Amino acid sequence: MRHLSGATQQGGIGLVEVLIAVLILAIGLLGLASMQTNGMRMTNGSMSRSQAVFLANDIVERARANRDNRADYALAPVAGGNVGACNLALAYNATLTVAQNDMAEWLNSLACLLPDADASIAFVSASNRMTVTVDWNRSANNVEDSVMVRTQL
């Protein structure tokens, strides 16, 4: 009878340990990739929301600067959207009023900065209240997001 030494009896154990370590590493890397993807999605959503708040405040300040024509900044919601396409060559038009130029620039900024944006602006003369609503699609899944700014001019 031959007696096997301890080293010969454990011949395949090292390979099993390596396979288990590789499996654990692969699961960890998949989890890390998933967290990175979610983080990027949240960052993009946060950037869009910041842009929407900035743009809503922008039109409020334009109306506040043009106090005599505040009512000209009203914008009714339109089915299918009222923003239009992004025009990188948009320029000041001397034949339009200040309010019309402000609205054209603002709607163009919405089109350029927010995907599938829609907007509405309501102005109540009696109370000098202005409500700006900006809607846009947050992701490829057509999840709609919205920002509403209300202020008294």
Side-chain angles (χ1 to χ4, degrees):
M1 256 199 316
R2 247 168 106 199
H3 182 61
L4 298 173
S5 69
T8 330
Q9 293 174 351
Q10 297 182 6
I13 298 297
L15 184 60
V16 171
E17 289 172 351
V18 169
L19 288 173
I20 291 173
V22 168
L23 177 67
I24 291 172
L25 180 65
I27 290 171
L29 289 175
L30 285 173
L32 184 65
S34 174
M35 286 187 342
Q36 182 72 21
T37 302
N38 285 338
M40 286 174 55
R41 188 176 321 123
M42 295 300 169
T43 300
N44 288 341
S46 175
M47 183 183 71
S48 294
R49 181 171 293 279
S50 295
Q51 288 288 351
V53 169
F54 171 76
L55 289 167
N57 286 326
D58 177 48
I59 198 64
V60 167
E61 292 305 319
R62 287 174 187 247
R64 188 171 279 140
N66 192 4
R67 277 187 154 333
D68 295 336
N69 300 309
R70 293 179 292 219
D72 293 344
Y73 289 88
L75 178 68
V78 177
N82 54 10
V83 173
C86 179
N87 179 5
L88 297 177
L90 184 72
Y92 181 81
N93 186 342
T95 63
L96 299 178
T97 65
V98 171
Q100 289 170 331
N101 273 303
D102 283 347
M103 291 301 293
E105 289 173 8
W106 185 71
L107 290 171
N108 188 56
S109 294
L110 278 175
C112 292
L113 296 174
L114 292 174
D116 298 328
D118 290 321
S120 66
I121 301 172
F123 180 71
V124 179
S125 299
S127 62
N128 284 330
R129 286 192 161 239
M130 184 178 221
T131 303
V132 179
T133 305
V134 178
D135 300 315
W136 72 97
N137 285 334
R138 184 176 52 191
S139 65
N141 299 342
N142 288 329
V143 176
E144 194 168 295
D145 213 343
S146 180
V147 165
M148 181 183 290
V149 173
R150 289 185 185 141
T151 189
Q152 187 166 352
L153 299 177

